[in-house]
Amino acid sequence: MSVLSLAKPIQSFTQWVMGTRSGSDAADSGVMYDRTLLWLAFGLAIVGFIMVTSASMPVAQRYTDDPFLFAKRDAIYIGLALAAALVTLRIPLAMWQRYSPIILLIAIVMLLIVLVVGSSVNGASRWIAFGPVRIQPAELSKLALFFYLASYLVRKVDEVRNNFWGFCKPMGVMVVLAVLLLAQPDLGTVVVLFVTTLGMLFLAGAKLWQFLAIIGSGVFAVALLIIAEPYRLRRVTSFWDPWADPFGAGYQLTQSLMAFGRGEFWGQGLGNSIQKLEYLPEAHTDFIFAIIGEELGYFGVVLVLLMVFFVAFRAMLIGRRALEAGQRFAGFLACEIGIWFSFQTLVNVGAAAGILPTKGLTLPLISYGGSSLLVMSTALVLLLRIDYETRLANCQAHVRGTR
């Protein structure tokens, strides 16, 4: 059976999952989802699974005598993400908009719970354990805030543009989440929420002087947070010159840079990394991009970055089309996902390459981590749903116009 012969059944199944009409109307409507985005998401997930398998084998062998432990877990997470995708695709965006305050409240409650009964890893209490399953509420808080922010902009976009108080309300909600996240502590997630919120308020048309005031306050607050904690100050100062203390504060970065240096153009070959042999800590999570550089070289690094760029580009494009079609909640949410996806990638890649301090953020869809994978895949599925509803609205408008 050829690939072309499989195309129509796959398209029909996807349309059924997303709630597309059946019969001849569905056949005449054309493709009702963004195929480019779908294949890019699958591509990143496949690259992530391969690289997690390669990067995690030494550490898994040391701790459990099973070199494929993290690979098996990652496969389970991918399966759960696909199952969650089938459910998410069936949920109309209007339901997410209606229950966005409740979703935000649930996220806040979970952030409070993790401070009381959360399990600690490397000195940070960020996970709630349910037997063998661990949930990271910080990842869920991102989507919760973005649902609320998109809903708020639909209702108060004129107030955001003309009133400073309207601009400050969503920033106040973000500050509440930031305080709870810093108590874990998790400064990286706070920075992602802050930048994405500012980016969306800018796209919504807020005044420039408001941004300058908030950005100035944010930079001042981050500087105080860095100075207040010695480990944060060491992270910031060590990335300026990691070779000054290669076996202390600069250890992770020097090992990461050596991985990139060994990779050259074509890389050492899949599975042939030296740095993953417990020289580079967190090789399958925070620093997986360095292993990609070592094993796949400059070619692999550019390929992965291009895939991430086009995912973010498609998200912004889907958001613009939704806004043009009058679906403001969908449009704002798609733009938020695009900003979030691209900025988190920038922070992760920048930390691995020594451009930014280490923040402990995952590389979307590639780094090992169940909560991150589930939330990121849900966000991409929401983009498919947004694109579907926008195309469906345009088709219905076209039909009404022809009549």
Side-chain angles (χ1 to χ4, degrees):
M1 184 179 293
S2 66
V3 175
L4 293 177
S5 63
L6 290 174
K8 189 174 180 60
I10 292 175
Q11 177 179 333
S12 300
F13 174 75
T14 307
Q15 290 176 342
W16 173 80
V17 168
M18 301 180 78
T20 313
R21 304 176 311 280
S22 59
S24 59
D25 290 340
D28 294 338
S29 64
V31 178
M32 296 295 289
Y33 63 96
D34 192 321
R35 290 177 295 182
T36 302
L37 178 63
L38 182 64
W39 288 116
L40 285 172
F42 278 139
L44 285 173
I46 292 170
V47 171
F49 177 73
I50 294 172
M51 294 312 303
V52 165
T53 301
S54 175
S56 66
M57 291 178 70
V59 66
Q61 178 68 39
R62 176 185 176 186
Y63 287 112
T64 65
D65 291 328
D66 181 5
F68 296 102
L69 173 67
F70 292 105
K72 293 174 183 177
R73 290 182 178 178
D74 199 49
I76 292 174
Y77 292 143
I78 292 175
L80 291 175
L82 291 175
L86 295 177
V87 176
T88 305
L89 284 170
R90 299 289 294 180
I91 301 176
L93 290 171
M95 186 171 294
W96 296 110
Q97 182 178 0
R98 185 182 308 119
Y99 294 106
S100 59
I102 298 176
I103 296 172
L104 179 63
L105 182 61
I106 292 173
I108 292 174
V109 171
M110 292 185 69
L111 290 175
L112 289 171
I113 292 174
V114 78
L115 296 178
V116 179
V117 298
S119 58
S120 179
V121 177
N122 295 330
S125 298
R126 301 178 184 175
W127 291 267
I128 300 176
F130 296 95
V133 179
R134 293 193 306 171
I135 298 176
Q136 190 173 2
E139 295 293 336
L140 301 177
S141 68
K142 297 174 185 176
L143 266 183
L145 177 63
F146 299 153
F147 283 137
Y148 173 80
L149 182 58
S151 176
Y152 176 83
L153 290 176
V154 170
R155 295 178 283 109
K156 303 290 186 178
V157 65
D158 293 331
E159 187 176 343
V160 169
R161 293 171 180 172
N162 303 314
N163 191 320
F164 184 68
W165 178 241
F167 178 86
C168 289
K169 285 179 182 178
M171 295 302 299
V173 174
M174 193 279 299
V175 168
V176 172
L177 292 175
V179 171
L180 296 175
L181 289 166
L182 289 172
Q184 296 182 5
D186 189 354
L187 181 59
T189 299
V190 172
V191 173
V192 170
L193 295 181
F194 179 74
V195 171
T196 306
T197 303
L198 277 183
M200 278 313 303
L201 292 174
F202 178 79
L203 292 178
K207 296 178 180 179
L208 182 60
W209 70 268
Q210 297 172 342
F211 281 98
L212 296 177
I214 295 297
I215 290 173
S217 302
V219 171
F220 179 73
V222 170
L224 287 179
L225 291 170
I226 291 172
I227 295 173
E229 292 289 346
Y231 80 93
R232 290 176 186 155
L233 187 60
R234 286 195 300 270
R235 283 185 177 183
V236 172
T237 55
S238 64
F239 93 98
W240 289 335
D241 186 11
W243 302 102
D245 188 12
F247 298 104
Y251 180 76
Q252 280 185 309
L253 183 52
T254 54
Q255 298 299 318
S256 178
L257 294 175
M258 283 191 280
F260 283 113
R262 292 190 73 249
E264 298 182 346
F265 190 86
W266 294 109
Q268 296 294 318
L270 187 62
N272 292 328
S273 167
I274 297 297
Q275 298 306 115
K276 72 182 181 183
L277 301 178
E278 300 191 56
Y279 292 104
L280 177 61
E282 309 296 338
H284 60 297
T285 54
D286 298 347
F287 283 89
I288 196 169
F289 193 72
I291 305 301
I292 293 175
E294 185 179 5
E295 295 190 352
L296 305 182
Y298 178 79
F299 175 79
V301 164
V302 171
L303 180 61
V304 170
L305 290 180
L306 283 176
M307 293 173 70
V308 172
F309 167 78
F310 281 113
V311 167
F313 178 78
R314 298 300 297 183
M316 300 302 289
L317 191 63
I318 289 171
R320 189 188 71 174
R321 285 203 297 255
L323 290 172
E324 290 175 347
Q327 298 179 325
R328 293 193 294 175
F329 176 80
F332 288 136
L333 181 60
C335 292
E336 287 170 350
I337 294 172
I339 296 172
W340 166 32
F341 198 89
S342 55
F343 182 74
Q344 183 158 324
T345 301
L346 172 66
V347 173
N348 180 276
V349 173
I355 302 172
L356 297 171
T358 303
K359 284 286 185 264
L361 291 174
T362 59
L363 187 60
L365 296 182
I366 295 180
S367 294
Y368 174 80
S371 297
S372 175
L373 180 61
L374 287 170
V375 171
M376 281 291 181
S377 59
T378 299
L380 293 182
V381 168
L382 287 169
L383 288 176
L384 291 175
R385 180 73 199 191
I386 291 169
D387 185 60
Y388 160 72
E389 291 194 9
T390 302
R391 296 186 189 212
L392 184 62
N394 289 335
C395 288
Q396 292 172 345
H398 177 73
V399 171
R400 287 194 297 267
T402 56
R403 291 178 181 175

